[in-house]
Amino acid sequence: MRKLFLSLAAFCSVAVAQQAPTIIGFIPNRADGQITLTNEVCANAKDQLLVFVKDDGGKLSLVGCWKLIDSNVMVRWSDGDVYSYDVGAVIFTPEFDEWYAKKNKPKGQVY
């Protein structure tokens, strides 16, 4: 289950054969842009990860820190707002899907 794994991967500092990709996934927003979830540790909250909003056209309008609480992506934005997004809204990157599949393949299975 990727939802559960997202929480484990996001906060696990144990090295694996291949490190998780920097960009985990995206959540579309109402401004025709996207909220980007990364695997980078926040500078001011070591138990959380960096998130940013990229508007249509590429402008970064907000940055913040995120963590998974149950099935909610909790984000504290740099402007002080706190939002909760359902983890089901995350569109995982192909790189994250590939990394996840390799990490969770049964032992002995040829990939």
Side-chain angles (χ1 to χ4, degrees), residues 59-101:
K59 179 182 177 186
L60 298 184
S61 59
L62 274 175
V63 296
C65 299
W66 75 275
K67 68 179 177 177
L68 192 66
I69 299 176
D70 293 327
S71 62
N72 298 294
V73 176
M74 301 296 293
V75 178
R76 181 175 304 276
W77 294 108
S78 55
D79 66 1
D81 287 344
V82 177
Y83 278 81
S84 172
Y85 305 94
D86 186 88
V87 74
V90 177
I91 300 166
F92 294 97
T93 64
E95 295 82 10
F96 182 83
D97 284 339
E98 181 182 334
W99 175 81
Y100 177 80

Side-chain angles (χ1 to χ4, degrees), residues 2-3 6 23-29 33-38 73 85-97:
R2 285 194 308 181
K3 292 177 191 178
L6 180 59
I23 304 295
I24 293 172
F26 309 96
I27 301 171
N29 68 14
Q34 61 190 13
I35 298 166
T36 302
L37 302 171
T38 76
V73 176
Y85 305 94
D86 186 88
V87 74
V90 177
I91 300 166
F92 294 97
T93 64
E95 295 82 10
F96 182 83
D97 284 339

